[in-house]
Amino acid sequence: MDAPAIELPAKAAQTDRGDSSSRCSSTAPEQPSDECDAGQDGGEEPQTWTAAELLEIRARERTFDGAYWRTSVGLFGASLVVLRVFGLEFFPVGLVFLALGLGFMGIGLARRLRLISRDQHAHSPVFVTSGGTVAVSAAMCIAAYSALLVLLLRI
Amino acid sequence: MPPMSMRAITDKLSLRLENKGSVARDHLANERTYLAWIRTSLSLVTVGVAIRQLYRVSIDLGGGSGAGAAGGSEAQEPLAGRVLGFSFVALGVVFVAVGLYRYFRSQRLMTRGEFPVSRAMVGACAAAILALLVGLLVSMLADQQ
């Protein structure tokens, strides 16, 4: 269920930026425009960053290396405590936390790949907001909490 | 594979915006705010699970000393922990819903150059947490006697 919804914004960006993809069709055909900048800047000469680019990069790193990573690390910690410290009947509860943490890590890494690795200097003319992945992560959370409620009622 | 309906859902959930000025940064900040709501709700859920476990520990400890009244206390004790644990997890669900609603509302309004200042919603969430904490305090005080 996760995979197609994560792909959605990428597909939308592809179809809409078909005109710009003709300039850099020599790189990867499935990621048309975002790979342009990364391909040119990936040479051996040191990269120079303007202040505006650094501002954008820092905002992306705060989101993906900061917020998403912090969320999944917190979940891993919670699952560790539940698995190791709590009683044996709480074992499935710890597994639910672990799965949720892995899900948030996956979503964060997928969006990081798209917004930092492929668009290193943040020059992409179109910004796709994260509504799709936010909805997926919220559905993931609600599903996990429902499982927790059922588990807690049965304990 | 229905590409048209998927495209419609994408356009509704993820907006494609012209990346100029602070557009990308503003929307990334909105996403971070949503994640902060998620983390708050995760803390609430963890507290709910911990309450269940801690009430069980107190039952186990109390059961050894007062073995005669074990039948009565075992039926009565878990109820407070059960209700409190359930309430904390349910409040976690509410917080996810609030974060989701706030994310999409801000996303829509920010494209028009507006921003929703949250006041009543944050107040209501704080009041709900306060009510649960007062309930926890009352339950703990009742356990002392």
Side-chain angles (χ1 to χ4, degrees):
Chain A
M1 181 206 165
D2 289 12
I6 289 172
E7 301 282 3
L8 283 178
K11 274 178 192 157
Q14 269 176 38
T15 48
D16 251 63
R17 282 185 277 159
D19 51 342
S20 64
S21 74
S22 56
R23 279 182 283 139
C24 57
S25 56
S26 61
T27 54
E30 64 267 66
Q31 280 94 27
S33 59
D34 284 346
E35 295 245 323
C36 270
D37 294 326
Q40 286 164 4
D41 292 325
E44 51 280 325
E45 60 197 42
Q47 296 186 352
T48 53
W49 303 80
T50 65
E53 284 169 355
L54 283 178
L55 199 64
E56 295 286 335
I57 293 298
R58 278 200 295 267
R60 283 158 169 73
E61 288 189 343
R62 277 202 298 278
T63 307
F64 301 115
D65 300 343
Y68 270 106
W69 195 236
R70 196 157 58 221
T71 307
S72 58
V73 164
L75 276 165
F76 291 150
S79 97
L80 197 67
V81 168
V82 171
L83 287 177
R84 292 291 298 163
V85 179
F86 287 8
L88 198 60
E89 63 270 22
F90 284 89
F91 194 78
V93 174
L95 289 187
V96 168
F97 276 120
L98 188 64
L100 202 54
L102 283 176
F104 269 102
M105 199 176 75
I107 287 179
L109 285 179
R111 272 188 60 73
R112 184 188 201 286
L113 196 70
R114 195 151 62 233
L115 272 180
I116 296 183
S117 304
R118 289 193 192 146
D119 186 17
Q120 267 201 326
H121 282 226
H123 282 323
S124 162
V126 174
F127 179 75
V128 182
T129 64
S130 56
T133 50
V134 161
V136 166
S137 71
M140 212 166 64
C141 269
I142 298 286
Y145 292 174
S146 310
L148 278 184
L149 281 175
V150 170
L151 286 173
L152 285 183
L153 282 179
R154 278 207 276 166
I155 283 173
Chain B
M1 202 70 178
M4 285 311 290
S5 67
M6 268 171 62
R7 180 65 199 276
I9 294 171
T10 313
D11 279 352
K12 215 169 172 67
L13 294 180
S14 301
L15 307 176
R16 284 175 298 100
L17 304 170
E18 192 186 351
N19 187 12
K20 63 174 186 191
S22 63
V23 165
R25 271 176 281 138
D26 289 345
H27 283 272
L28 287 170
N30 193 19
E31 192 175 350
R32 288 198 293 278
T33 310
Y34 161 76
L35 285 170
W37 278 100
I38 292 284
R39 279 198 296 276
T40 311
S41 85
L42 288 171
S43 307
L44 287 171
V45 168
T46 312
V47 167
V49 173
I51 283 174
R52 289 300 305 273
Q53 168 69 20
L54 293 178
Y55 271 73
R56 304 191 122 227
V57 169
S58 70
I59 293 166
D60 289 347
L61 292 179
S65 60
S73 73
E74 260 183 84
Q76 205 178 13
E77 283 277 346
L79 189 67
R82 210 169 261 266
V83 169
L84 278 172
F86 189 87
S87 310
F88 269 98
V89 178
L91 194 61
V93 176
V94 171
F95 268 55
V96 171
V98 168
L100 198 64
Y101 168 76
R102 208 187 135 61
Y103 174 86
F104 282 108
R105 182 150 171 259
S106 309
Q107 189 189 48
R108 198 185 59 230
L109 286 183
M110 278 197 303
T111 59
R112 290 194 242 136
E114 298 170 13
F115 186 74
V117 180
S118 56
R119 196 169 47 187
M121 197 174 268
V122 169
C125 288
I129 292 183
L130 197 66
L132 274 190
L133 289 181
V134 167
L136 192 59
L137 184 69
V138 167
S139 151
M140 285 164 73
L141 287 177
D143 277 356
Q144 293 292 313
Q145 288 154 9

